[in-house]
Amino acid sequence: MLPKSISIAAVLALLAGVNGAPTFKLKGRDVDFDYNNDKVYGVNLGGWFVLEPWITPSIFEATNNDAIVDEFTLTQALGQDAASSVLTNHWNTWITQDDFNQIAHAGLNHVRIPIGYWAVAPLQGDPYVQGQLPVLDKAIGWARSAGLKVLLDLHGAPGSQNGFDNSGRKGPVDWQQGSTVSQTLTAISNLAERYAGDTDVVTAIELLNEPLGPDINLDELKQFYYDGWGNVRNNMAYTVVTIHDAFEDIDSFWNGFMNAQAGVNNVMLDTHIYQIFDQGQVSQSSAQHVAAACGSASPLAGTDKWTIVGEWTGAQTDCAKWLNGLGIGARYDGTMAGSSYVGSCDGKYTGTVAALSDADKRNIRSFTEAQLDAYETHTGWIWWTWHTESAPEWDMQELIANGLFPQPLSDRQYPGQCG
């Protein structure tokens, strides 16, 4: 498919070559990180510019309103002034320069920063409030100071690309309806234009987080990816354009698409690997979780473009409070409708890493090590998430402090799990 929104200058650059030879190869020297030879070690700054009830439950609990389940309904219920007050305080305190310094000290080299379309291309009639971008500007400076690279991730699109609360609005998947795709492309253009002068830090832009493949038109998604690539290229010649796998097979579905031979440069595939969001997965033993993690190495190595595991966790349960949505229980302890009991969520629903049981600590550490070994078979990984209020299985900052996330990253208490 011909990218519709690529500029003439970009097309001429694409076609330039010698004797018709393929022009584009994945060249780390073209971008300020060598994605060919260096591994991505990263963490997501989740719950910062796009709220998720399970990451910051206190913001939602303070409303005492069960109808508030996401950022859309929160801002709608609070109104512009109150919402702006609450969120401005949150944006300025949830993540600071000190967090970036800690992340770098832990041996990581990337942060993935989720942002909603409403921050960069707000729509008339939406209740969302703005003010995120000045804080994001500071974050780019903090990353530069700490020596970290930034992947900017468009985490929420107009209409919602997946119906999850982490898209900003929980409910139906209405992305691709009406003008939502063109509005998303505008958000991408605005993001790329704003940070065109920061390519020493902003080495990647993700066009859209987790579009729900089974619920959308995949041909239209592919065209959107081409168009989004063109919009980024109009402002950034080499910044990596990251595309999510839409929960489709990373090899059989995505190989051959937007690779070097397709006439586009610096494209990276993002896949998210969780083993907790169906009954069969949470029912697995710890050894089975490890085996499944190790089994992901071969598909990752088989992709024909840079590929990161852009979200993953050491959690083997879905116990964290509101992880499945505000007011919704867990499969693991049978409190979600239609689920069956596997085990207790004591200490994992809310709590601290230090207070986890010895068995939980062993399971998290061994599972994390196996995933590190598997995901480093290709471009690397970005953990979800750096910081939570009370979800110990997910909180990298606390896991590091309590010795459950390897330090240095190469340290292994359970070596050779993946053979």
Side-chain angles (χ1 to χ4, degrees):
M1 285 172 282
L2 178 65
K4 292 182 288 189
S5 59
I6 300 178
S7 68
I8 293 174
V11 171
L12 292 176
L14 292 177
L15 296 176
V18 179
N19 297 325
T23 303
F24 289 101
K25 297 180 181 179
L26 301 182
K27 297 180 180 178
R29 63 181 177 83
D30 292 339
V31 65
D32 210 322
F33 184 84
D34 188 351
Y35 289 97
N36 282 326
N37 299 302
D38 296 332
K39 299 298 182 185
V40 172
Y41 305 134
V43 65
N44 285 274
L45 304 183
W48 191 11
F49 299 120
V50 179
L51 292 182
E52 299 191 33
W54 73 273
I55 296 178
T56 55
S58 67
I59 291 177
F60 292 83
E61 288 168 335
T63 68
N64 198 31
N65 184 344
D66 292 340
I68 296 175
V69 296
D70 51 28
E71 188 161 341
F72 185 96
T73 51
L74 179 80
T75 53
Q76 186 178 55
L78 293 181
Q80 291 282 302
D81 291 344
S84 182
S85 177
V86 168
L87 291 178
T88 298
N89 177 69
H90 170 68
W91 299 328
N92 283 295
T93 57
W94 184 246
I95 299 290
T96 67
Q97 172 77 75
D98 184 58
D99 292 289
F100 281 78
N101 295 343
Q102 288 184 47
I103 289 165
H105 182 72
L108 278 63
N109 52 35
H110 279 68
V111 291
R112 180 172 179 256
I113 303 181
I115 193 82
Y117 77 87
W118 54 91
V120 289
L123 300 177
Q124 186 174 7
D126 276 353
Y128 297 114
V129 297
Q130 285 70 52
Q132 303 92 332
L133 291 182
V135 186
L136 181 56
D137 293 345
K138 291 181 183 178
I140 302 305
W142 297 337
R144 181 178 288 113
S145 176
L148 295 168
K149 304 305 180 186
V150 172
L151 188 163
L152 293 177
D153 154 46
L154 192 67
H155 215 71
S160 181
Q161 72 277 18
N162 52 34
F164 306 154
D165 57 16
N166 60 50
S167 72
R169 189 171 190 178
K170 184 178 180 181
V173 179
D174 287 334
W175 187 69
Q176 296 184 332
Q177 305 301 311
S179 301
T180 54
V181 172
S182 64
Q183 291 162 346
T184 308
L185 290 167
T186 297
I188 291 166
S189 292
N190 292 350
L191 200 60
E193 182 178 0
R194 187 178 187 93
Y195 297 107
D198 296 296
T199 55
D200 60 313
V201 175
V202 180
T203 55
I205 290 181
E206 185 153 0
L207 300 180
L208 189 59
N209 177 70
E210 294 186 348
L212 191 59
D215 285 15
I216 63 173
N217 184 309
L218 290 170
D219 288 334
E220 291 181 13
L221 176 67
K222 288 182 174 181
Q223 183 64 58
F224 163 77
Y225 281 162
Y226 269 116
D227 294 344
W229 178 89
N231 286 13
V232 173
R233 286 291 166 265
N234 288 337
N235 295 279
M236 299 165 153
Y238 299 113
T239 298
V240 174
V241 175
T242 306
I243 60 173
H244 185 264
D245 65 10
F247 307 102
E248 301 294 332
D249 188 271
I250 59 175
D251 294 315
S252 63
F253 189 86
W254 291 108
N255 276 350
F257 176 76
M258 294 189 82
N259 58 8
Q261 292 72 38
V264 294
N265 69 325
N266 293 357
V267 172
M268 181 160 63
L269 185 66
D270 175 21
T271 188
H272 298 169
I273 301 179
Y274 294 117
Q275 295 186 33
I276 54 174
F277 290 118
D278 69 47
Q279 188 68 43
Q281 289 178 326
V282 297
S283 300
Q284 293 181 128
S285 67
S286 181
Q288 288 173 318
H289 281 293
V290 167
C294 294
S296 67
S298 180
L300 287 167
T303 62
D304 64 357
K305 57 185 70 67
W306 296 326
T307 302
I308 56 167
V309 180
E311 292 187 21
W312 62 286
T313 176
Q316 296 184 356
T317 79
D318 63 339
C319 285
K321 179 180 179 179
W322 297 344
L323 177 66
N324 295 303
L326 196 150
I328 298 176
R331 299 168 185 83
Y332 191 76
D333 66 356
T335 55
M336 175 187 277
S339 65
S340 55
Y341 182 87
V342 177
S344 171
C345 282
D346 288 352
K348 298 184 284 290
Y349 178 69
T350 61
T352 64
V353 172
L356 288 170
S357 71
D358 289 343
D360 285 335
K361 291 178 179 178
R362 287 193 302 271
N363 290 342
I364 290 172
R365 175 77 192 215
S366 64
F367 187 37
T368 297
E369 289 186 13
Q371 291 180 93
L372 291 173
D373 291 343
Y375 303 160
E376 290 172 21
T377 58
H378 206 348
T379 312
W381 48 264
I382 305 179
W383 171 280
W384 189 280
T385 183
W386 171 246
H387 181 48
T388 73
E389 287 183 346
S390 58
E393 295 177 286
W394 296 78
D395 194 310
M396 178 188 266
Q397 186 179 38
E398 285 298 307
L399 290 166
I400 289 172
N402 286 273
L404 300 191
F405 199 100
Q407 291 288 285
L409 298 174
S410 58
D411 181 58
R412 295 292 179 269
Q413 295 179 5
Y414 302 91
Q417 293 184 102
C418 293

